């Protein structure tokens, strides 16, 4: 069989499948976002920019800001917690390094819904956190923790922390640690060596981890839905409402498109930055 | 400094595992409260096994995950073979395109597919509508795992087989396939886990009456949490952990990294 037809046979299933069930749907959402909403939740075949204009209403801009800023804070927290974690594994090379890594990855494979639900048990008014605090502190008044931005923030950090740790570990692990010793021999302080050697060399890991955390959190739907109890909406929740309850599909389509653009711009920026630093491996 | 870093490690693990243990522990609680301990019992597991809705949801989850895994494993393996064995035009663009379904927020993928079914092709929502959508995101993961297995794969054994008179079909099944089989099984297990665990895409593309376990759990969280939820969650937890250990075992059969 000639080489080209072999490639064609191997690739036509994936190309066809993605074309029909991925690209055509995305194109139809794009077209949809320019149509008018019909009277009974349907659509009217009439071109309009209304759905995009509506997005600039302060209500939606505030929701967009909440999604982006929460995702940003989540990324920062994951970095602050994840970096020392990955650094310890890479620098001190503890004996059970692989087991520790496996334990970091394991929660990622556990149903996200269940992991989010678990926080309800901990954060609710009669939950474990409040009851342990009331045992420790006499006269403690239970806090309202569930259905708050705090609960959503915790849930997101919980969900995506492993995504930060792994790329950081990979970057730090590849680093030549003798560079640090060399710098110290030449008179650099530990702090100086960290800021001028370790941190710059681990930047690809920081970028990759940040992207892997930021992208899913900005588009999050489940965490704000379950731990925010409808009070802490993200763009994802507004999109869901347009399709499940409000039945304003064109507006939901426009919001989805905006969300997708944000995510894609983030991804492209990431690859640009990476390419500026070193050639990308694919 | 080392002490501080070690404390951080311990705190991270407590943070990651306390919630999971809490669910498991409370699934063995006898009371009607989800997070107030009374006494040890299997009562909620008993209720769970007698709940026909749970069985139906379980069946739907298995059908969807099984079929989606089957389709995506074939498509993903074929794609991985083409990418690793040949250099062709648009190869880089194809690799990037394959990642797109992983990057795009699942809610966007979900409503895109829903819109497509509803307005463009007028396809009825049921089990197949979910399966088609699951295959989209599963393909990417299967391809990655199989490609990893193919890296460093020695193509000369195939040439040797062909030289010795085997036809291409025989060469694939007798030489290539056994060599990459752990990668394929690993990819399939991964796809199966992702499919069973998926909620968002299923929630939007499943027809009324085609509840999966994830959707069942979601509705319970939203419309009436009972301790039964702790029991179902624990069952699913155990299931995921078994699948993932199997996955790691199959993938680790050549290399030892995670």
């Amino acid at each position: 069989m000639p080489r080209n037809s072999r490639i064609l046979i191997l690739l036509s299933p994936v190309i066809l499948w993605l074309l029909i069930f991925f690209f055509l749907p995305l194109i139809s959402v794009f077209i949809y976002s320019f149509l008018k909403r019909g009277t009974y939740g349907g659509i009217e075949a009439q071109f309009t920019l209304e759905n995009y204009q509506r997005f600039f209403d302060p209500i939606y801009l505030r929701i967009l800001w909440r999604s982006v800023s929460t995702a940003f804070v989540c990324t920062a927290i994951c970095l602050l917690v994840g970096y020392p974690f990955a650094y310890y594994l890479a620098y001190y090379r503890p004996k059970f390094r692989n087991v520790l890594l496996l334990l970091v990855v394991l929660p990622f494979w556990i149903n996200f819904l269940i992991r989010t639900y678990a926080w309800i048990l901990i954060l609710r008014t009669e939950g474990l956190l409040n009851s342990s605090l009331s045992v420790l502190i006499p006269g403690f008044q239970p806090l309202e923790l569930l259905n708050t931005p705090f609960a959503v923030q915790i849930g997101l950090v919980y969900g995506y922390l492993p995504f930060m740790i792994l790329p950081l570990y990979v970057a730090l692990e590849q680093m030549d640690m003798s560079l640090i010793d060399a710098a110290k021999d030449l008179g650099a302080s530990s702090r100086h060596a960290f800021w001028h050697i370790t941190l710059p060399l681990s930047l690809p890991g920081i970028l990759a981890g940040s992207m892997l955390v930021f992208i899913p959190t900005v588009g999050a739907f489940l965490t704000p839905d379950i731990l925010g109890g409808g009070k802490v909406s993200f763009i994802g929740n507004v999109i869901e409402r347009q399709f499940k309850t409000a039945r304003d599909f064109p507006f939901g389509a426009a919001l989805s498109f905006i969300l997708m653009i944000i995510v894609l711009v983030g991804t492209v920026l990431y690859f640009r930055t990476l390419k500026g630093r070193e050639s990308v491996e694919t | 400094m080392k002490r501080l870093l070690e404390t951080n490690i311990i705190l991270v693990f407590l943070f990651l595992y306390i919630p999971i243990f809490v669910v498991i522990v409370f699934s063995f609680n006898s009371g009607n409260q989800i997070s107030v301990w009374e006494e040890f019992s299997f009562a909620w597991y008993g209720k769970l096994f007698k709940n026909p809705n749970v069985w139906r949801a379980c069946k739907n989850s298995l059908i969807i995950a099984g079929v989606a895994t089957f389709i995506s494993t074939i498509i993903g393996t074929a794609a991985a073979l083409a990418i690793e064995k040949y250099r062709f035009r648009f190869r880089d663009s194809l690799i990037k395109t394959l990642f797109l379904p992983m990057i795009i927020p699942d809610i966007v993928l979900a409503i895109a597919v829903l819109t497509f079914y509803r307005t463009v092709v007028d396809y009825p929502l049921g089990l197949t509508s979910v399966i088609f959508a699951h295959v989209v995101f599963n393909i990417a993961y299967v391809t990655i795992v199989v490609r990893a297995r193919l890296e460093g794969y020695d193509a000369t054994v195939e040439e040797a087989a062909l030289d010795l008179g085997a036809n291409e079909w025989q060469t694939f099944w007798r030489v290539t396939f056994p060599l990459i089989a752990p990668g394929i099984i690993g990819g399939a297990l991964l796809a199966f886990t992702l499919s069973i665990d998926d909620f968002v895409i299923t929630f939007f593309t499943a027809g009324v009456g085609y509840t999966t376990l994830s959707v069942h759990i979601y509705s319970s969280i939203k419309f009436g949490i009972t301790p039964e939820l702790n029991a179902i969650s624990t069952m699913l937890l155990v299931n995921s952990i078994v699948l993932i250990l199997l996955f790691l075992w199959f993938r680790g059969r050549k290399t030892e990294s995670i």
Side-chain angles (χ1 to χ4, degrees):
Chain A
M1 212 188 324
R3 179 177 168 275
N4 279 346
S5 48
R6 243 183 276 170
I7 297 176
L8 200 67
I9 288 173
L10 290 173
L11 286 182
S12 47
V14 68
I15 291 170
L16 276 177
W17 201 281
L18 290 184
L19 194 68
I20 297 172
F21 294 108
F22 186 64
F23 288 106
L24 283 181
L26 286 182
I27 293 166
S28 40
V29 164
F30 186 62
I31 295 171
Y32 232 78
S33 69
F34 291 105
L35 299 180
K36 245 178 132 72
R37 179 195 185 178
T39 345
Y40 298 104
I43 40 148
E44 276 171 39
Q46 197 185 344
F47 179 84
T48 174
L49 285 173
E50 225 169 69
N51 303 307
Y52 286 95
Q53 280 160 358
R54 221 178 121 194
F55 174 72
F56 290 96
D57 186 296
I59 302 174
Y60 299 114
L61 286 180
R62 211 174 302 140
I63 290 173
L64 173 72
W65 170 243
R66 182 187 290 139
S67 314
V68 174
S69 59
T70 314
F72 190 76
V73 173
C74 177
T75 311
I77 297 174
C78 288
L79 190 58
L80 284 176
V81 176
Y83 199 96
F85 189 102
Y87 184 84
Y88 178 81
L89 289 194
Y91 189 77
Y92 291 100
R93 313 185 140 265
K95 248 194 212 144
F96 304 110
R97 196 161 76 247
N98 281 340
V99 178
L100 293 180
L101 276 174
L102 174 65
L103 285 174
V104 171
V105 192
L106 202 60
F108 164 66
W109 298 112
I110 293 167
N111 197 315
F112 193 71
L113 199 56
I114 295 172
R115 288 195 293 145
T116 312
Y117 160 70
W119 281 96
I120 295 184
L121 300 184
I122 296 172
L123 294 176
R124 63 206 287 263
T125 318
E126 314 80 45
L128 288 171
L129 192 62
N130 273 320
S131 51
S132 346
L133 285 173
S134 62
V135 171
L136 294 172
I137 309 162
F140 175 80
Q141 288 297 314
L143 300 165
E144 289 281 340
L145 296 168
L146 204 58
N147 305 337
T148 60
F150 168 76
V152 176
Q153 189 79 69
I154 281 209
L156 289 172
V157 171
Y158 184 68
Y160 297 104
L161 183 60
F163 285 120
M164 179 64 89
I165 293 179
L166 284 185
L168 281 177
Y169 172 74
V170 171
L172 285 164
E173 143 87 345
Q174 285 168 352
M175 208 179 103
D176 185 359
M177 291 292 176
S178 61
L179 285 173
I180 300 174
D181 298 328
K184 283 185 188 164
D185 283 347
L186 294 169
S189 67
S190 294
R191 186 184 295 176
H192 198 82
F194 176 79
W195 286 105
H196 292 272
I197 297 171
T198 317
L199 199 65
L201 281 176
S202 60
L203 211 55
I206 296 176
L207 282 172
S210 302
M211 191 189 84
L212 287 176
V213 174
F214 187 82
I215 283 178
T217 41
V218 86
F221 154 70
L222 207 52
T223 317
D225 188 55
I226 289 178
L227 298 176
K231 288 179 197 156
V232 191
S233 291
F234 274 37
I235 315 179
N237 304 93
V238 184
I239 295 174
E240 186 243 7
R241 249 171 265 148
Q242 305 313 315
F243 281 85
K244 286 278 179 179
T245 47
R247 306 212 142 253
D248 191 343
F249 301 161
F251 183 51
L255 287 174
S256 307
F257 222 76
I258 292 167
L259 180 57
M260 203 170 79
I261 296 297
I262 294 173
V263 164
L264 287 180
V265 166
T267 314
V268 170
L269 278 179
Y270 162 73
F271 279 112
R272 278 281 156 76
T273 331
L274 205 67
K275 226 175 214 163
R277 296 185 55 83
E278 51 175 354
S279 57
V280 205
E281 254 187 294
T282 36
Chain B
M1 192 62 196
K2 197 179 172 191
R3 271 289 141 74
L4 218 64
L5 291 173
E6 276 166 347
T7 319
N8 180 57
I9 300 266
I10 294 167
L11 288 178
V12 166
F13 280 123
L14 288 177
F15 176 65
L16 288 180
Y17 282 94
I18 283 179
I20 294 169
F21 280 113
V22 167
V23 173
I24 296 175
V25 168
F26 278 101
S27 72
F28 296 107
N29 183 21
S30 66
N32 283 315
Q33 279 281 332
I34 51 166
S35 63
V36 180
W37 183 260
E38 284 178 28
E39 60 179 8
F40 184 89
S41 103
F42 287 108
W44 291 106
Y45 286 92
K47 284 217 172 107
L48 180 70
F49 286 116
K50 281 184 214 130
N51 186 343
N53 291 331
V54 171
W55 284 107
R56 213 173 301 131
C58 202
K59 198 180 110 197
N60 286 335
S61 280
L62 287 174
I63 293 172
I64 291 170
V67 179
T69 301
F70 183 75
I71 300 173
S72 53
T73 305
I74 293 172
I75 298 180
T77 304
L81 282 169
I83 290 170
E84 283 301 317
K85 290 173 73 170
Y86 303 102
R87 294 287 174 272
F88 48 90
R89 266 214 301 176
F90 310 120
R91 181 175 172 271
D92 283 352
S93 331
L94 180 83
I95 293 169
K96 286 194 184 109
T97 312
L98 277 176
F99 280 109
L100 273 182
M102 294 168 83
I103 296 169
I104 282 177
D106 33 9
I107 187 138
V108 174
L109 178 59
I111 65 111
V113 176
L114 174 72
T115 310
F116 179 68
Y117 286 147
R118 272 235 273 253
T119 57
V120 183
V121 284
D122 200 16
Y123 191 80
L125 301 184
L127 286 181
T128 47
S129 55
V130 185
I131 292 170
F132 295 152
H134 277 205
V135 172
V136 172
F137 67 78
N138 276 341
I139 288 176
Y141 290 93
V142 173
T143 310
I144 290 173
V145 177
V146 177
R147 273 188 71 192
R149 179 81 200 183
L150 277 164
E151 247 165 51
Y153 165 81
D154 186 5
T156 50
V157 281
E158 280 177 19
E159 284 158 25
L162 290 169
D163 279 349
L164 292 168
N167 65 33
E168 282 181 49
W169 195 242
Q170 287 169 327
T171 309
F172 177 76
W173 284 109
R174 303 253 177 101
V175 179
T176 319
F177 182 76
L179 279 170
I180 62 170
I184 297 174
I185 297 170
L189 283 168
L190 184 54
F192 191 80
T193 315
L194 289 168
S195 228
I196 288 265
D197 285 352
D198 172 74
F199 163 71
V200 177
I201 288 157
T202 313
F203 185 53
F204 281 92
T205 53
V208 182
Y210 293 97
T211 303
T212 63
L213 272 180
S214 286
V215 176
H216 177 83
I217 292 174
Y218 177 79
S219 328
S220 314
I221 295 173
K222 288 299 241 188
F223 311 108
I225 298 181
T226 70
E228 200 180 287
L229 204 49
N230 294 337
I232 306 179
S233 302
T234 305
M235 305 281 296
L236 264 176
L237 275 173
V238 172
N239 172 67
S240 306
I241 292 174
V242 169
L243 281 174
I244 216 54
L245 291 178
L246 273 176
F247 164 75
L248 289 172
W249 186 71
F250 272 109
R251 220 192 51 169
R253 282 177 65 163
K254 195 183 69 183
T255 49
E256 50 157 36
S257 60
I258 289 177

